Structure formats: C-alpha cells, structure tokens
Amino acid sequence: MSEESLVQRILHLRQVEKLTQRQIAKVLGIGRKRVRRILEGAGSAASIPRASILDEYSQLIAHWYKQYPRLKATQVYERLKAYGYQGGYVSVARVTREDRAPRQSAYHPLTFLPGEEAQVDWFFFNHERLGAVAGFIYVLSYCRYAWGIFYPKTSFEFFLAGHLECFKHIGGLARCHRYDNLKSVVLKRAPEIEYNPQFLDFARFYGFSIHVCNPYSGNEKGRVERLIRDIRVFLYAETFDSLKDLNEKFHLWLEKRNATVHRSTQRAPKDLLGQERLIHLPENPYPPSRVIPAVSSKTALVEFETNKYSVPSTCASKALEVVAYPDRIEICMAGKTVANHRRSFGKNETIQNPLHAETLLNRTPQFKMRRVLQVMTDMDPAFRHFFDHQDNDSERIEAAYQLFILLKTHSRSMLISAIRELNTLSCFKIKALLSLLNLPEDKDPQALWPQNQQLLNLTYEERKLDDYDPDSPDMGAA
C-alpha cells in the first residue's frame, strides 16, 4: 500500500468509522505511533468539518461585534433567540470566543505644554461608616500637580463646586479640560456630540475648551486614571470618622504626593507648578448651582431628592424653581427668592421654617398657638427638652411663641445653640434666654417720680386776683 493510500485509509477509518488510534493500528497491522504521526501530520484534515447551526447567523454576529465590540456571549445569545435561533448558549459562547478575546493595543505617549491641559474625573469610594462618597480629581497634565475633594453626590452643582475648589487652590486653570462622557458634560454622542448647555456656559465664563475622550478609552486620560488607582490604595489603608475628616486626610496625602518626585518628569509636581501658564481667575466666581422646576403642594412643601422643604403659605400649589447649591437650597417664584434652607442629604425628611406658616396661622388664632408649639418642638431636640421642662402647658405654649418671634431677628442655629446651653445649665426660663442673647426684658410702663419725694409736699401762698387788675396803682402805665 502506497503512503498516500495509507494516509487516506487511516483518515477514513478515523473520521468515518470513528475508530481509535489503537484500533486503526490493529486493522492495518502498523504501529500506533505511526498512526498518530500520520493523523497529526494531516492537521485540519484530521477532523470532518460539520455545518454549524450558527453558520447562517455568522454575518449578523460579525455586524453586532463591529457595532459593539464589548458584547457578551449571553447578550449575543439573547439577540439570536429573537431571530429564531434554536440552539444552546454553549455553541454561541464557542463561536464568539475569538470576538470576545481581549486585543492587544499600542498607545502613543501624550505630551503637553505648560498650561495646555488638565484631566478631570469622578471616582467612587464605599466606606462602612460614610457610605458611598464621590471623589473629584483635577490633574494638570504638564506638571502632574493634582488636587481634589470628596462630596456626598456627583450631581451638577457638586461638579461645578469641585472645579471651583481646584481653581482656587491652584490659582488658575488649564486652557483645555479633558473629560470622559460624563452626563454633566455630554448629554449624548449620536448622531453628534451634544454638550450640557450649562456646562458650556461655565466653560465660556472661565475661557477653557472641552476635550471629550472616546468611549471606553481610559488611556486617553491616563494621568488621572493612574492617580485614582494610587488614591484607592491610600483610602483603603486609612480610617475616617466623617466626610470632613476624609477630606482633611486626603488633602494631606495630596500635598505629600505633590511634593514627591514624579517617576516620569523626575521633578516634584509642586516645583513644576510655577512653570504652568494658567488662565487667571475672574474676580467673581461662577455660582455652583443647578435649577430644577417644581410645584409646591397644598401644604406649601416642595419635594427635592425625596426630602420636603417649606415655602410661604402664599406659594402653595404654585410653580416654583429649586436652585440647588452644594450646601443649601434656594426656592424661587417668578424670579424672586421665597425660601432658603440648609440642604439635607438624608431621606424622606421635612425641613420647615415656622415663619412660612405665619400668615396661615393668623387666620386661625385659636389654633395658632398650638400649631406654633408643635412646629417649634419638631424643629430640634433641644427645643423639645426646653419645652418639656416648663411648669405647665400654658408656659410651654408661651415659651414656644417667644422662640417663634425670635426667629424673625435671629438665626435658627443661634437659637438652638443658646437653648442647648440653657439645657446644660438646667435653666429653662425665657428671661435667661433673652439675657444670653443680650436682649432687654419687657418691662411694664411706670409713672415718673422725682428722686426727692419731699418736693411733692411743697406749699405756696396764692396771689389775689387784684394783683393782676390792670387799674391797680402798682401796675405801670401802658
């Protein structure tokens, strides 16, 4: 038997008859190693290609991966079922394995001129006590000087506040800022890039241009990405009691890093910062705020981020605007501010200013005092403690009303601080509160009396009317 015939005979017995190498060697009377060597030499011919159930979908799968290179096998499987695919998931995973394999990429190093660019990004940190907090990072691309701050949220007003914090610390800003596809910067990319209009206004105000990275291209802002990786190492090695404590320790870490020689420039970022040609800051900063349309309820409350804020009773059931700042909430109607509140980051809280209900309370005077007591009691635990130690119900109502009146001339925080001090001293008198605030006590009007009471007993001799007679000889001629 010729060598070619022997090879074809072995392939036939293997592929058609499905015999093992040992069985083929016994049938042909040759060694098993020779059979294995011939099968290995045949290569791709050693197996019979079978028609796959996925062959008819191959062009469709290739088109999907051209559009979305990061599709998972499960996503392809779910899409194919909509086209009538009856096979299993394992076949899909096997066919798409090559498309899903990570591809090696080569990158060109990016170089920048002084003051040319800064890279900006958010990142998140989950702490067992603080919960989820967001870190804002700003890195100058030339000198690698970095600054940042942590916030409880990543909404637009905090995005602007982070920029302002870094601008103030660095003493200026770069001429171009590089971002990924944040909603605060880019609203959508297709069919063309649509920028956030308020962020465009912010960029115009400070005079910097915007560079948006391509999707899934973290390498385009590698300076800030590498810094975030280093920050995470620092965060998980420290403990923090509050957001303020976190920011203080974070800033100390950044100062130390900025004073350390960088591996790429062989210079400390702090030393190179003076070479940056930054844009100077304007005299008045841009207000870090976000405007949200709202409608007040019939009870004169406006809902924002699950919390409710009071407005004057005259604004009930009317269209308003909530202007959100990082630390406070401003509520406007027809361009005029009608309410200011501290911003709450809790859930389902009600923040009220008792003065907002004064007009409504005046319409029901019998109900007014009880309502004032309720509102003031719920305002702060210190007030509740102060009222509970009054002698009777009428004194509690009177004390609440006095505090209600003081809110017109004093801030809530000042009154709370004063009441807490009185509670500590176990003194629960309104007079003591007025003294603590350096206010005069109300006094009853009193009649005026001379210091020398003997003056009230003076007597005098009355003159006769004749003394005033014009014909009297004692009177001179007219």
Side-chain angles (χ1 to χ4, degrees), residues 123-135 150-153 232 235-236 240-243 246 345:
F123 73 98
F124 296 94
F125 171 56
N126 289 311
H127 189 266
E128 58 182 359
R129 179 177 299 177
L130 305 179
V133 292
F150 281 91
Y151 291 111
K153 290 179 176 292
R232 292 189 185 279
L235 291 174
Y236 288 110
F240 310 101
D241 298 327
S242 62
L243 188 62
L246 168 59
F345 297 101

Side-chain angles (χ1 to χ4, degrees), residues 128-402:
E128 58 182 359
R129 179 177 299 177
L130 305 179
V133 292
F136 179 89
I137 296 297
Y138 187 95
V139 183
L140 292 172
S141 299
Y142 172 74
C143 68
R144 271 77 167 185
Y145 192 94
W147 200 251
I149 187 172
F150 281 91
Y151 291 111
K153 290 179 176 292
T154 60
S155 50
F156 188 75
E157 63 273 19
F158 292 102
F159 189 59
L160 297 187
H163 282 81
L164 298 179
E165 168 74 18
C166 295
F167 293 170
K168 181 180 178 181
H169 174 81
I170 296 173
L173 63 145
R175 286 166 170 74
C176 177
H177 289 175
R178 187 180 293 249
Y179 304 92
D180 55 18
N181 294 274
L182 299 166
K183 284 296 182 183
S184 297
V185 179
V186 179
L187 298 181
K188 64 178 182 180
R189 291 191 64 94
E192 60 183 13
I193 294 180
E194 180 181 346
Y195 292 97
N196 185 324
Q198 189 176 351
F199 188 71
L200 285 177
D201 184 63
F202 177 77
R204 179 194 57 79
F205 182 87
Y206 282 99
F208 66 86
S209 58
I210 302 171
H211 179 92
V212 180
C213 298
N214 292 308
Y216 311 110
S217 301
N219 59 289
E220 294 183 8
K221 52 183 182 65
R223 284 163 170 76
V224 71
E225 293 288 351
R226 177 58 185 263
L227 174 62
I228 290 174
R229 187 176 68 182
D230 295 341
I231 292 173
R232 292 189 185 279
V233 175
F234 152 73
L235 291 174
Y236 288 110
E238 291 284 344
T239 58
F240 310 101
D241 298 327
S242 62
L243 188 62
K244 180 181 178 181
D245 181 46
L246 168 59
N247 278 318
E248 289 176 353
K249 292 181 178 178
F250 179 49
H251 288 161
L252 290 175
W253 182 86
L254 284 174
E255 289 176 356
K256 182 178 179 180
R257 176 197 174 276
N258 289 327
T260 303
V261 175
H262 194 274
R263 55 186 169 274
S264 299
T265 62
Q266 299 301 312
R267 297 280 301 279
K270 187 176 181 180
D271 297 336
L272 288 176
L273 180 61
Q275 299 181 16
E276 294 276 6
R277 296 190 289 270
L278 302 176
I279 299 175
H280 296 294
L281 298 177
E283 184 176 350
N284 297 317
Y286 191 93
S289 62
R290 173 169 54 110
V291 179
I292 306 97
V295 177
S296 63
S297 66
K298 293 181 180 180
T299 54
L301 294 173
V302 175
E303 185 170 348
F304 174 70
E305 293 182 343
T306 75
N307 297 315
K308 295 179 180 179
Y309 299 85
S310 68
V311 294
S313 54
T314 54
C315 300
S317 302
K318 293 184 178 180
L320 305 169
E321 285 185 339
V322 176
V323 184
Y325 293 87
D327 58 345
R328 61 188 177 89
I329 295 295
E330 188 176 287
I331 304 175
C332 303
M333 184 175 71
K336 296 183 178 180
T337 302
V338 296
N340 278 290
H341 294 280
R342 62 171 179 84
R343 183 168 181 173
S344 173
F345 297 101
K347 295 292 184 182
N348 302 314
E349 295 182 357
T350 300
I351 296 89
Q352 287 186 306
N353 184 345
L355 298 179
H356 288 163
E358 185 174 16
T359 303
L360 185 63
L361 293 175
N362 287 334
R363 298 177 184 176
T364 54
Q366 295 180 354
F367 173 72
K368 176 178 179 178
M369 302 303 288
R370 287 286 180 184
R371 178 59 179 161
V372 167
L373 175 61
Q374 179 184 348
V375 171
M376 298 301 296
T377 301
D378 295 338
M379 184 177 294
D380 192 270
F383 288 168
R384 181 185 297 275
H385 183 77
F386 186 82
F387 299 147
D388 288 344
H389 284 77
Q390 302 300 315
D391 293 336
N392 50 57
D393 194 50
S394 61
E395 288 189 6
R396 279 191 288 273
I397 292 176
E398 179 62 25
Y401 186 72
Q402 291 296 330

